[in-house]
Amino acid sequence: MGDFFYYGQKDLIRQLNQLALAKDIINIPQNSAAAAASAAAATAAAAAAAQSNGTAAISATAAAAAFRSLDARYLGAKALPPARDNAGGALLAGATYWDTVLNGGCLRVFQAGAWVTIPTNVASQVVSTPVGGIVATNVQAALAELDTKKAARAMTLAGYGITDALPSTYAPAWLAITGRPQFAAVATSGNKGDVGLGSVDNTSDASKPVSILQQTALNLKAPLDSADLTGTPLSTKPAKFNNSRRIATVDFVNEAGMHYQAAQGIGLAAGANTFAKEQLGHWVQFNFPNSTLAVGPSTNEYMGSSFTVRAPFGGTVNFAAPGVVLANTASSTTTYVMRPGEVTTFTSNGGSGWYVTADSIAPSVLYATYAAINGDAAQDFKVASINGSFIGGMQNRVINGDMRINQRGVPNTGTYLIGYGLDRWNYDASVAGKVAHGPNFYNVATRAPGFPNYLGLGAQGAYSASAVEAYLLQQVIEGNHLADLQYGTASAKTCTVSAWVYSNIAGSHSGALYNILANKSYVFSFSLPVANTWTKIAVSIPGDAVSAMNTNNMQGLHLRFNLGSGANFVRPVTGAWIAGNMTGVAGAVNMLANNGNFLITGVQFEVGTATPFSRRSMVEEMSLCIRYYCNSFPEGADVTALAADALGLLLSGGEAVDSLENNGRHTVKFPVPMRATPTINMRGYVGNPYSWVCQGTAAQGGVQGFLGQSGEITSKYMKVKSNTSARQFNIQGNWEAIAEI
């Protein structure tokens, strides 16, 4: 080993540490006393053996026994806790080993049948060098050195760095407690007031007293919660339209009023709405047609206060006495009816009434502002393009909603035919002849703002329908245009029907949205408060989360307006989807029974809330219409009127006749692919209304000898041919291709 123990050696720990170095032991602590004693004995025995040949064998035996004892108590460095000692025997109490893994290296002792960890800093601190003028390099010597320095320290305040002396009337008392000085201030009278600490109490922070001056200052402060200000508190005047929480002054309120503020409008729903002073600084807008705003007497308002009302669909402002004073007049009224698109400012004089200043602006400008202010954040984001149309997708699912397309040539004098009139609009009736319909039928003197065309329907005498009869105007919307509505799921979308409507009968009219796949309907009503006046309506319809609908090229939803159906087809408004094929609301206006009329245009069906009418170009609108219907008639010609003779028919277009064929043939390509393979109606002339004329040479019989018929038909084209096996040079006639839903 290199080192030996000698008899009489007292510093066994140091010698044991040196011996442990040979076994990679670091700083064995004193709590391994048994191991240290055994090591000392073993070393002493070995030394004695070396010096005495006579007792060598005995000493060697004793040394070996001592080493085995040491080896059984200190097991060396190991990565895992040993279960047996180095000789394979049971672990002894007090046995130790150095764990090379746990805590980055630490000493562990076997105690009470388990390994106990000794912190690594115990061994390291034994040989650490103290800081602060201590010379000793071990703990015990350092403590002794500290005791010496402590005893030599001057027993004065200055000795501890305290230079402020107490008054001469006080005597310091020093007590040495466990070797540490403690100072006690002993006053001659024992009163805390004698040392200027009369206000000091041993109390909690919440109970500590404050000075009189501090309490006086605190009494002048108002609480943050529900402060009751007294005296004459002042405030600086906020800027106009300042939406901060600064206190407003009287002159601010008088000056600010309720003038227009961008993005600070208050939208009013349908029905009556009461004006409140909390709306100061805002403007008000009727978000639904025929909304009503109730305003109290002007004496309840500040002098000069005002508010601005915007009415995209029209509305009514009702005032309590003394009423409204119209601008520049002396006339007074309690009701002010606003026209659709009107913007009006009402200013109070603080006493006798309200003064009205109207600013009627163009509907297109108003709608653009309305759409920007009332965008529905819950729906798809809608942004107007440069020309004001919808950027992407089919915003308006209704086709020909502005009633411009009339491929069938229905006259403006009206027709009694049941079925399609203007493109995509179907008049459905149980009994013919009860209602006439047509473009601009009735030719009313006024038009809806921005819509020169409308579809007019009128009863031809009062008629009360039986329970099983239905009379309605509808557009059937293809399922391909409705897939995003997600009917039948929890994500079913709410949609809005909007339109401009006119009738000679005021009151609550009605309609319905019908899902043919589920045989379910949602009935709705809308108000026309004034007869013979165009009114903008908007009806919100929730999506049906229970029942799916067609999302292919078949019928999706039927948008209907009731004209006077019987009891089997009307139901009370429930605000929910109900079973059955309905056309309207029970008890609503019955146009047919009252010999009335019904005019409509600007019809839009869209996801979310109502937005300005989505205007498509003529080419776009015509292409959408041709998908369902097209013909070969001249522009504006009535498809029900036949040519007087065969020579007056159109020459069919398409490929030339092959002289080697036995039959004349022509291919007609439709302008756009149709929704499905169409039904072809052949339109001849008066003498032969249902077939085409095949014209050949005189030797072949002339025009009277052969008739034409349709042949191969697809959604993209059709072929027409002669019905006889003779070469024909041309085929004359008109046709209709019908792929309506």
Side-chain angles (χ1 to χ4, degrees):
M1 291 185 183
D3 287 318
F4 297 93
F5 297 125
Y6 296 94
Y7 291 106
Q9 180 77 39
K10 292 183 177 181
D11 193 357
L12 297 180
I13 294 297
R14 180 179 64 83
Q15 295 295 336
L16 185 59
N17 281 335
Q18 291 179 353
L19 177 63
L21 291 175
K23 287 199 169 201
D24 298 326
I25 302 175
I26 300 175
N27 298 335
I28 302 299
Q30 292 185 6
N31 65 346
S32 300
S38 297
T43 304
Q51 293 181 6
S52 176
N53 293 330
T55 58
I58 298 173
S59 298
T61 301
F67 184 79
R68 284 194 300 273
S69 176
L70 171 65
D71 193 49
R73 286 171 169 75
Y74 179 71
L75 307 181
K78 299 181 183 297
L80 296 173
R84 311 287 293 181
D85 66 15
N86 292 338
L91 293 172
L92 299 178
T96 63
Y97 82 97
W98 180 259
D99 195 310
T100 61
V101 176
L102 185 64
N103 296 334
C106 63
L107 191 68
R108 307 192 74 189
V109 178
F110 191 73
Q111 185 177 357
W115 287 106
V116 179
T117 300
I118 299 176
T120 58
N121 62 350
V122 171
S124 63
Q125 287 177 359
V126 172
V127 296
S128 63
T129 300
V131 178
I134 302 300
V135 177
T137 59
N138 61 73
V139 174
Q140 197 63 37
L143 291 175
E145 188 174 345
L146 286 173
D147 287 339
T148 302
K149 291 181 178 293
K150 175 177 61 176
R153 193 171 187 84
M155 299 298 288
T156 64
L157 290 175
Y160 285 88
I162 304 175
T163 57
D164 292 338
L166 292 174
S168 58
T169 55
Y170 299 95
W174 296 92
L175 300 176
I177 302 176
T178 63
R180 298 186 182 184
Q182 179 171 329
F183 170 74
V186 181
T188 55
S189 65
N191 191 332
K192 61 184 178 180
D194 294 337
V195 293
L197 300 176
S199 297
V200 175
D201 290 316
N202 186 21
T203 60
S204 65
D205 287 345
S207 303
K208 283 185 171 62
V210 296
S211 68
I212 296 175
L213 292 178
Q214 287 176 315
Q215 189 61 54
T216 302
L218 290 174
N219 292 341
L220 296 177
K221 296 183 178 296
L224 291 177
D225 185 21
S226 304
D228 187 7
L229 302 179
T230 60
T232 55
L234 302 178
S235 169
T236 57
K237 177 184 174 183
K240 192 172 184 179
F241 304 137
N242 184 343
N243 290 325
S244 69
R245 300 176 62 189
R246 292 177 59 183
I247 298 175
T249 59
V250 173
D251 56 344
F252 166 76
V253 175
N254 287 339
E255 181 180 317
M258 294 188 67
H259 296 293
Y260 173 85
Q261 285 191 77
Q264 293 296 321
I266 297 173
L268 302 183
N273 302 273
T274 302
F275 169 74
K277 292 182 181 179
E278 288 73 17
Q279 295 171 338
L280 284 171
H282 297 270
W283 51 274
V284 181
Q285 176 165 292
F286 294 141
N287 283 350
F288 289 85
N290 310 305
S291 298
T292 300
L293 176 64
V295 180
S298 59
T299 52
N300 293 341
E301 306 302 331
Y302 288 110
M303 173 76 71
S305 64
S306 63
F307 62 97
T308 299
V309 176
R310 311 179 71 182
F313 312 122
T316 303
V317 181
N318 291 328
F319 293 87
V324 183
V325 178
L326 302 180
N328 302 321
T329 69
S331 59
S332 179
T333 179
T334 58
T335 300
Y336 187 85
V337 178
M338 300 185 66
R339 305 182 306 275
E342 182 177 352
V343 177
T344 303
T345 298
F346 300 85
T347 302
S348 171
N349 63 4
S352 61
W354 295 87
Y355 291 91
V356 181
T357 301
D359 178 18
S360 182
I361 62 177
S364 60
V365 177
L366 176 65
Y367 296 154
T369 304
Y370 174 73
I373 293 172
N374 294 279
D376 189 349
Q379 305 297 335
D380 297 336
F381 186 59
K382 301 171 183 177
V383 181
S385 65
I386 294 176
N387 63 1
S389 64
F390 195 55
I391 280 182
M394 191 175 182
Q395 178 185 3
N396 187 5
R397 314 307 167 92
V398 168
I399 299 174
N400 198 27
D402 54 0
M403 313 301 178
R404 288 182 292 172
I405 312 298
N406 182 17
Q407 291 189 84
R408 293 173 176 83
V410 178
N412 58 14
T413 54
T415 178
Y416 299 96
L417 295 177
I418 297 174
Y420 284 87
L422 298 185
D423 279 65
R424 301 297 299 119
W425 290 102
N426 177 27
Y427 164 62
D428 196 359
S430 297
V431 179
K434 301 301 181 183
V435 173
H437 59 93
N440 295 342
F441 186 47
Y442 287 107
N443 193 27
V444 295
T446 59
R447 296 285 193 270
F451 295 91
N453 301 295
Y454 64 86
L455 173 60
L457 303 101
Q460 303 301 295
Y463 178 77
S464 295
S466 68
V468 297
E469 294 180 18
Y471 297 87
L472 62 142
L473 172 69
Q474 71 175 354
Q475 180 164 143
V476 181
I477 305 175
E478 183 180 337
N480 279 323
H481 300 155
L482 301 169
D484 63 314
L485 270 59
Q486 302 182 62
Y487 274 34
T489 73
S491 301
K493 294 183 179 180
T494 296
C495 295
T496 300
V497 177
S498 58
W500 284 94
V501 183
Y502 178 109
S503 178
N504 63 346
I505 305 174
S508 179
H509 294 247
S510 70
L513 194 63
Y514 173 57
N515 180 356
I516 188 173
L517 180 64
N519 189 32
K520 292 177 70 176
S521 301
Y522 186 97
V523 298
F524 59 84
S525 61
F526 55 91
S527 177
L528 301 183
V530 182
N532 300 319
T533 301
W534 285 103
T535 301
K536 181 71 178 288
I537 67 168
V539 178
S540 179
I541 300 178
D544 188 349
V546 177
S547 303
M549 64 176 168
N550 286 325
T551 55
N552 49 21
N553 68 339
M554 303 304 290
Q555 299 181 33
L557 296 174
H558 295 212
L559 176 59
R560 295 171 165 176
F561 296 93
N562 184 38
L563 304 176
S565 300
N568 289 357
F569 297 95
V570 293
R571 293 289 185 274
V573 173
T574 63
W577 287 84
I578 59 176
N581 181 3
M582 302 298 135
T583 66
V585 176
V589 169
N590 189 320
M591 183 207 77
L592 185 58
N594 290 278
N595 194 26
N597 60 37
F598 183 83
L599 285 56
I600 189 169
T601 190
V603 185
Q604 182 149 298
F605 180 73
E606 61 187 313
V607 175
T609 57
T611 65
F613 183 77
S614 178
R615 297 179 184 272
R616 293 183 280 259
S617 70
M618 197 66 178
V619 173
E620 291 175 296
E621 206 74 52
M622 180 64 79
S623 297
L624 290 172
C625 291
I626 289 176
R627 176 174 163 77
Y628 303 92
Y629 175 88
C630 61
N631 63 42
S632 64
F633 286 81
E635 182 69 25
D638 186 350
V639 299
T640 61
L642 299 174
D645 55 57
L647 297 178
L649 298 178
L650 293 177
L651 178 66
S652 62
E655 62 195 38
V657 178
D658 189 337
S659 60
L660 298 178
E661 290 183 354
N662 291 325
N663 298 80
R665 298 176 186 272
H666 287 275
T667 297
V668 177
K669 294 188 68 175
F670 304 127
V672 299
M674 304 197 73
R675 179 191 63 84
T677 300
T679 299
I680 303 299
N681 286 338
M682 309 294 289
R683 294 297 188 189
Y685 61 103
V686 173
N688 188 23
Y690 301 111
S691 296
W692 284 18
V693 173
C694 301
Q695 183 178 359
T697 64
Q700 294 172 322
V703 297
Q704 299 296 329
F706 309 98
L707 298 177
Q709 62 185 16
S710 60
E712 181 181 348
I713 306 172
T714 72
S715 63
K716 296 182 178 180
Y717 65 87
M718 70 171 178
K719 291 185 177 181
V720 293
K721 63 181 181 178
S722 168
N723 63 352
T724 61
S725 298
R727 281 179 283 178
Q728 308 301 316
F729 292 99
N730 57 59
I731 303 174
Q732 291 173 309
N734 285 312
W735 51 267
E736 284 182 301
I738 305 172
E740 297 284 5
I741 301 180

